[in-house]
Amino acid sequence: NLKIGAYLRNDKAGIQKDIDYIYSLFPRLKERNWQLAGTLSGGEQQMLAIARGIMAKPKLMMFDEPSLGLAPVIVQQVFEILQEINSEGMSIMLIEQNAKKALSISDYAYIMQHGTPGENGLMQGYLEMLGVPHSGCNAFVSAITFDKFSCKSYLKDVDFVRCADDIFLRKGESIEGLAEKAVEKLGLPMFVKPTDGGSSFGVTKVKTADDFGKAVDYAFSEGNMLIAEAAIVGRELTCAVYFNGKENVALPVIEIITENEFFDYEAKYQGHSREVCPAQIPDALRDEIQEVSKKIYAHLGCSGLVRVDYISSEDGLYFLEVNTIPGMTSASLVPQMVRASGMSMTDFLNTVIENS
């Protein structure tokens, strides 16, 4: 198994030297060198997998759940070895559910989890208490931007973007007469949605006052706070902003065109929408969205990478929400923007990480 790890290498003397080094890291493997790998214990097989990777002499090793299913004493040994090989100059990317253990040996945390606790400030606060640098916004900004009503409250008085009228409601408060009040203030149709949800869970497009109560119940099935918000008719557009070490930079704008009444879960994840990147919009509107996105980024105190969503209506540009942990799969919006800008994802992520 160790020699298989060194399959692409031609330096026999170096290979034997590294096998000796492996045995110094993993004395138990040396004790078991006569034994078939498939008969080793789970912890020993994990050690062997790490050792085989080291034999390839990579610049970067990625470890996916190295503590999974192992006894605590073996977990401790594995993490000590990770520290050892990192100190020898090998970079390590660690994907690990045992966050406390992983963070105890990490130099930096890249947060990828949507919703709670990754996007609402809880994870950020935990990392900040531990003193571990992390991607994205700080705990305070993450908490504000994750809550739609709070975030809009920070932007309602600015002169560079509009916010749709809304009404806030907390679970347990009386809704008697609220439907009529909402219709009077917001008109129809309107949207009712949780303030701290994502992926369009709990969102209803309300077309009549009679539907308001059901929409409230549905929103409260996903959270304890909601907003009813005036529906804005227009084109849905989005733009991401990041800090490159010198200035805030806006990526190309994307237009989202949905087959459904709005950009709901089905449209987002089941192929009932399409994204146009870069958006086929007038240059003046493109420039406005990019400049407004940078202003929102600065006004809210964002850092790292964020994405800002809008509706462009006949009477102006309306803010929808900020995503501080935008999706990063190959089909997600931000990677499309990065490719349209001419950057590689490697260079882009390096820039984000180095300047977070």
Side-chain angles (χ1 to χ4, degrees):
N1 272 272
L2 295 179
K3 289 179 179 178
I4 287 172
Y7 179 74
L8 297 177
R9 295 172 55 183
N10 295 316
D11 55 325
K12 291 185 179 180
I15 290 172
Q16 186 55 54
K17 182 180 178 181
D18 284 344
I19 288 177
D20 294 338
Y21 171 65
I22 292 297
Y23 285 152
S24 71
L25 284 176
F26 302 97
R28 188 169 300 192
L29 293 184
K30 186 174 183 179
E31 295 170 6
R32 303 284 195 275
N33 64 0
W34 53 269
Q35 191 171 333
L36 292 174
T39 65
L40 296 173
S41 70
E44 291 164 348
Q45 289 189 26
Q46 185 73 290
M47 293 177 185
L48 180 57
I50 295 171
R52 188 168 59 188
I54 294 172
M55 289 298 296
K57 297 186 77 68
K59 294 181 179 179
L60 171 70
M61 283 187 71
M62 183 174 74
F63 293 89
D64 188 4
E65 303 286 5
S67 73
L68 188 65
L70 301 183
V73 64
I74 302 299
V75 170
Q76 182 62 32
Q77 291 177 11
V78 167
F79 275 81
E80 288 174 355
I81 289 163
L82 295 184
Q83 283 184 288
E84 172 68 21
I85 62 177
N86 178 242
S87 69
E88 296 288 332
M90 186 181 297
S91 296
I92 293 174
M93 180 179 290
L94 186 58
I95 297 91
E96 175 59 60
Q97 291 287 341
N98 187 340
K100 185 176 182 180
K101 195 71 180 174
L103 292 169
S104 70
I105 68 167
S106 297
D107 299 309
Y108 182 88
Y110 193 95
I111 303 173
M112 301 180 70
Q113 185 178 31
H114 300 292
T116 184
E119 198 168 6
N120 63 353
L122 294 180
M123 180 65 74
Q124 290 81 358
Y126 179 64
L127 293 170
E128 286 159 20
M129 286 191 295
L130 294 177
V132 177
H134 61 82
S135 62
C137 301
N138 63 36
F140 179 72
V141 173
S142 297
I144 290 170
T145 54
F146 188 69
D147 184 273
K148 295 176 178 64
F149 184 76
S150 297
C151 189
K152 287 180 65 180
S153 297
Y154 273 72
L155 295 171
K156 280 183 176 178
D157 294 326
V158 301
D159 60 1
F160 50 80
V161 73
R162 295 170 178 264
C163 292
D165 290 337
D166 58 31
I167 292 175
F168 172 83
L169 183 68
R170 186 180 292 276
K171 197 172 188 176
E173 294 179 339
S174 173
I175 65 168
E176 184 177 352
L178 186 60
E180 292 74 16
K181 177 183 175 183
V183 171
E184 181 180 352
K185 179 179 179 180
L186 310 177
L188 290 170
M190 73 178 78
F191 285 99
V192 175
K193 52 190 175 184
T195 65
D196 57 356
S199 299
S200 297
F201 291 132
V203 179
T204 303
K205 186 175 184 179
V206 177
K207 299 178 181 178
T208 70
D210 293 339
D211 295 331
F212 186 81
K214 291 179 181 179
V216 168
D217 291 340
Y218 182 42
F220 280 147
S221 72
E222 295 291 336
N224 293 320
M225 298 174 289
L226 65 78
I227 55 171
E229 188 175 60
I232 305 299
V233 178
R235 303 171 73 174
E236 184 159 353
L237 301 157
T238 185
C239 180
V241 179
Y242 68 100
F243 180 63
N244 70 359
K246 296 180 179 178
E247 60 183 350
N248 297 331
V249 179
L251 289 170
V253 178
I254 286 181
E255 180 174 11
I256 299 165
I257 302 173
T258 177
E259 299 171 5
N260 298 352
E261 281 199 275
F262 65 97
F263 196 39
D264 57 9
Y265 181 88
E266 186 181 68
K268 288 179 179 178
Y269 302 111
Q270 297 179 3
H272 293 272
S273 66
R274 61 187 178 94
E275 296 97 30
V276 181
C277 181
Q280 302 303 298
I281 55 177
D283 291 351
L285 178 58
R286 176 203 63 203
D287 295 344
E288 179 188 6
I289 290 171
Q290 290 180 320
E291 286 303 311
V292 167
S293 298
K294 290 190 287 186
K295 289 180 179 180
I296 289 174
Y297 184 99
H299 187 76
L300 295 175
C302 296
S303 54
L305 167 69
V306 306
R307 199 189 77 233
V308 190
D309 299 339
Y310 306 94
I311 294 289
S312 177
S313 180
E314 289 184 357
D315 61 339
L317 186 66
Y318 282 82
F319 169 82
L320 287 180
E321 63 179 3
V322 171
N323 293 273
T324 58
I325 309 289
M328 294 296 283
T329 69
S330 60
S332 296
L333 297 171
V334 169
Q336 292 184 56
M337 296 176 189
V338 172
R339 291 193 292 269
S341 73
M343 282 187 290
S344 70
M345 284 303 296
T346 299
D347 291 341
F348 176 70
L349 288 173
N350 280 340
T351 300
V352 171
I353 290 170
E354 290 168 1
N355 295 289
S356 292

